[in-house]
Amino acid sequence: DDEAAAERLAGAIRALERPLAGVVLSLCGEPPRGRVLDQPARELNRRLELDLLPHQAAARHLLPLLSESGRNGGYVVIGSAGTDHPWAGYGYRSIAAAAIAMLVRVLHNEARLLGVRVQMLAVSRPVKTEENHGCACPGWPDANQLARQALDLVDQIESRHPVSAMVRFAEAL
């Protein structure tokens, strides 16, 4: 949720005294609905605090752990709908998703010096889960498929192609 929680998580992982091979990070929640024009400016600040800053805090504490392992670890952030194009009726989600994508691009470049691969598995639609299966659209990706592709990115040791910061779900490994 915040810097303190990320620091506690990193401490708990470090206390296991085992090398960290990878991280898959996904923040899930019900996206707020409504128009950006209908809300005061402070609501955007609140959304960024809830959606963007936890990603930055987690990276700040977990990327060094991956670097210490010396295993060319993968740090994969699961993207969400609205990253590339505004999601109608979910303006704040779209803005936060675009900000998270930019954060991943920045971390991708910065983490190279640490020997860590940072990537986003970009998902352009909501994800089908057991909870929403009854109302999910046929084109929604299955959560298990998404998890497998995220783990494939974490396990990617060497690639024949340059590692990209953004990997589209349909084009994932």
Side-chain angles (χ1 to χ4, degrees):
D1 289 339
D2 57 24
E3 191 79 27
E7 187 173 15
R8 283 191 305 275
L9 175 61
I13 293 171
R14 186 172 270 118
L16 295 173
E17 297 181 355
R18 298 193 62 187
L20 187 60
V23 171
V24 176
L25 185 62
S26 176
L27 300 179
C28 301
E30 184 66 31
R33 295 182 181 140
R35 294 173 6 129
V36 172
L37 291 174
D38 295 336
Q39 300 293 322
R42 69 180 174 275
E43 182 60 23
L44 176 57
N45 187 55
R46 189 175 89 74
R47 289 310 326 164
L48 292 175
E49 284 181 10
L50 292 172
D51 296 343
L52 174 66
L53 297 185
H55 281 286
Q56 192 272 338
R60 194 169 109 68
H61 293 280
L62 296 177
L63 287 175
L65 285 177
L66 280 169
S67 179
E68 291 167 14
S69 75
R71 299 176 73 178
N72 189 28
Y75 187 96
V76 177
V77 175
I78 306 295
S80 65
T83 299
D84 294 327
H85 303 286
W87 190 13
Y90 295 90
Y92 286 114
R93 169 62 72 130
S94 299
I95 293 168
I100 293 165
M102 183 55 71
L103 176 64
V104 167
R105 287 182 176 103
V106 169
L107 293 172
H108 176 79
N109 290 331
E110 292 181 2
R112 287 180 182 182
L113 296 173
L114 300 173
V116 177
R117 288 174 287 102
V118 176
Q119 296 176 285
M120 174 178 275
L121 182 56
V123 183
S124 62
R125 297 171 296 241
V127 176
K128 186 182 334 178
T129 65
E130 289 182 20
E131 291 79 22
N132 69 13
H133 192 269
C135 64
C137 295
W140 289 9
D142 180 82
N144 292 322
Q145 294 170 326
L146 184 64
R148 278 190 294 278
Q149 290 187 7
L151 290 176
D152 285 346
L153 286 174
V154 167
D155 290 340
Q156 174 184 332
I157 301 299
E158 290 186 31
S159 175
R160 294 178 217 162
H161 308 289
V163 174
S164 174
M166 305 301 286
V167 177
R168 302 279 170 219
F169 173 70
E171 301 168 359
L173 301 173

